[in-house]
Amino acid sequence: MRALRRRAAAKAVLLPLLPLFLVGACSGGPSLENQGAVTAPPGDSKHLTIGTAGFTESDVLAQMYALLLKQAGYSTEILSVANRELYEPALESGQIDVVPEYAATFADWLNAKTNGAKAPPVGSPDLDATMKALRGLAAPRGLTVLDPGRAVDQNAFAVTAAYAKQHRLKTLSDLGASGLKVRLAAGDECVQRPYCEPGLKKTYGIDVTAVDPKGVGTTQSKKAVQDGKDQMVLTTTTDATLSDFGLVLLADDKHLQNADYIVPVVNRSRAGSERVAKTLGALNSVLTTQDLASMNEQVDSWRRLPQDVARSYLESKGLLKG
């Protein structure tokens, strides 16, 4: 679940911020009983506010959305709100019009909001089933979930390149078949989350002897694997720093992880038009998981500005005119 992942520090100075009137004004959002708000024709506001959750990847995606929409004739601005509990109601009310989200995580979040914290998860490794559930939960709230592309930011597991070579490991199945004892660097929630220790044992037969609670994808957790104190680390598929620690990902060949594909979510009454969908959908044909990792690296390691990284990428793919 993406809520457990490491978040890079938000670069607040890089993004124009709007006044944070969100708490009071957004607490309600469109009522689920207000069917007029849901069945009204899709809107096409000339001014659109793009939300970012304040970590590097979200910042870069928001900048790409803003640049593409501006080229399509919209005026745009970006609002950074790190807390989903704030930005999702703002999206419902139209104070935010567009936000990049993660399919399975957002589906589970809306499911819990709608049906209670103990509701069975609806996000799964099956993208089609996840999208169906997500759209079903989003529509009554006046939200439209646009199509996903190829880019996915899932939980992932990494070992050192030397360890992988020594034991001939390319997949998590290889690790399970090896019988090796594995000490796992991860968040403390890993011991009970189905995608983490229990899933590694049940799905792959991996002998996880202990969870070292150093966090998800943190420098400390990756350093522990690099130094041999732990054998594997829980990180993400778009982690841009793995090579700095001599780490490589093991393929999730049995699809333990949920389908956290990147999906734009829009307020239907303000940004539900076909023009918005077509404009943002242009990313689908080109944006890959590797591309996201590379852009994260440029911001986090090379200290480039998210807007510069976004512009360079779109221009390199022919999506943005110079």
Side-chain angles (χ1 to χ4, degrees), residues 71-190:
Q71 180 175 255
Y74 298 92
S75 66
T76 62
E77 55 190 325
I78 294 176
L79 173 62
S80 182
V81 186
N83 191 321
R84 187 180 275 117
E85 283 73 14
L86 289 179
Y87 75 67
E88 189 278 331
L91 185 62
E92 288 189 29
S93 70
Q95 291 176 302
I96 292 175
D97 303 306
V98 185
V99 69
E101 262 293 357
Y102 300 86
T105 294
F106 196 45
D108 283 337
W109 194 89
L110 286 180
N111 185 43
K113 182 176 180 179
T114 302
N115 299 312
K118 295 184 179 180
V122 295
S124 74
D126 185 326
L127 177 59
D128 290 340
T130 296
M131 288 296 297
K132 182 178 180 180
L134 174 55
R135 283 172 165 155
L137 289 160
R141 297 183 176 277
L143 305 179
T144 297
V145 183
L146 304 184
D147 291 338
R150 292 181 289 164
V152 57
D153 186 353
Q154 296 170 308
N155 293 299
F157 296 91
V159 298
T160 65
Y163 184 84
K165 182 177 181 181
Q166 178 185 357
H167 300 290
R168 298 180 180 180
L169 307 176
K170 292 184 178 180
T171 68
L172 289 171
S173 287
D174 292 340
L175 182 56
S178 73
L180 292 165
K181 295 186 181 299
V182 175
R183 182 175 164 90
L184 174 64
D188 55 8
E189 304 92 344
C190 178

Side-chain angles (χ1 to χ4, degrees), residues 13-282:
V13 295
L14 305 181
L15 299 174
L17 300 182
L18 298 177
L20 283 179
F21 46 81
L22 300 174
V23 178
C26 298
S27 57
S31 167
L32 295 183
E33 289 75 33
N34 184 1
Q35 293 302 310
V38 177
T39 59
D44 195 23
S45 174
K46 291 182 172 57
H47 176 83
L48 298 176
T49 298
I50 296 94
T52 167
F55 58 98
T56 296
E57 187 170 288
S58 189
D59 288 349
V60 172
L61 286 165
Q63 291 288 347
M64 287 196 289
Y65 290 1
L67 287 166
L68 289 171
L69 289 167
K70 185 176 181 180
Q71 180 175 255
Y74 298 92
S75 66
T76 62
E77 55 190 325
I78 294 176
L79 173 62
S80 182
V81 186
N83 191 321
R84 187 180 275 117
E85 283 73 14
L86 289 179
Y87 75 67
E88 189 278 331
L91 185 62
E92 288 189 29
S93 70
Q95 291 176 302
I96 292 175
D97 303 306
V98 185
V99 69
E101 262 293 357
Y102 300 86
T105 294
F106 196 45
D108 283 337
W109 194 89
L110 286 180
N111 185 43
K113 182 176 180 179
T114 302
N115 299 312
K118 295 184 179 180
V122 295
S124 74
D126 185 326
L127 177 59
D128 290 340
T130 296
M131 288 296 297
K132 182 178 180 180
L134 174 55
R135 283 172 165 155
L137 289 160
R141 297 183 176 277
L143 305 179
T144 297
V145 183
L146 304 184
D147 291 338
R150 292 181 289 164
V152 57
D153 186 353
Q154 296 170 308
N155 293 299
F157 296 91
V159 298
T160 65
Y163 184 84
K165 182 177 181 181
Q166 178 185 357
H167 300 290
R168 298 180 180 180
L169 307 176
K170 292 184 178 180
T171 68
L172 289 171
S173 287
D174 292 340
L175 182 56
S178 73
L180 292 165
K181 295 186 181 299
V182 175
R183 182 175 164 90
L184 174 64
D188 55 8
E189 304 92 344
C190 178
V191 296
Q192 59 187 11
R193 297 293 184 181
Y195 67 79
C196 203
E197 181 184 359
L200 291 174
K201 290 179 175 179
K202 181 179 180 180
T203 302
Y204 289 106
I206 296 173
D207 187 3
V208 180
T209 59
V211 172
D212 186 3
K214 284 185 165 60
V216 180
T218 62
T219 297
Q220 293 87 348
S221 63
K222 284 180 276 195
K223 191 73 165 57
V225 176
Q226 182 184 40
D227 294 342
K229 296 177 182 177
D230 299 326
Q231 286 72 52
M232 189 163 68
V233 58
L234 171 61
T235 183
T236 68
T237 53
T238 60
D239 189 331
T241 66
L242 291 178
S243 60
D244 296 341
F245 297 88
L247 303 178
V248 294
L249 293 178
L250 295 181
D252 179 21
D253 54 308
K254 292 184 178 179
H255 307 292
L256 173 63
Q257 302 305 320
N258 282 346
D260 261 330
Y261 285 75
I262 311 298
V263 289
V265 182
V266 304
N267 177 287
R268 174 184 166 88
S269 66
R270 289 183 51 80
S273 70
E274 182 62 30
R275 183 162 62 131
V276 169
K278 183 177 179 181
T279 298
L280 297 181

Side-chain angles (χ1 to χ4, degrees), residues 60 63-68 70-71 282-283 286-287 291 295 298 304 306-322:
V60 172
Q63 291 288 347
M64 287 196 289
Y65 290 1
L67 287 166
L68 289 171
K70 185 176 181 180
Q71 180 175 255
L283 268 179
V286 297
L287 185 64
D291 292 341
M295 286 187 277
Q298 291 176 55
R304 294 189 66 194
Q307 55 263 47
D308 292 341
V309 171
R311 179 177 292 277
S312 295
Y313 177 78
L314 293 176
E315 289 177 348
S316 74
K317 298 298 182 180
L319 296 179
L320 195 68
K321 299 174 183 176

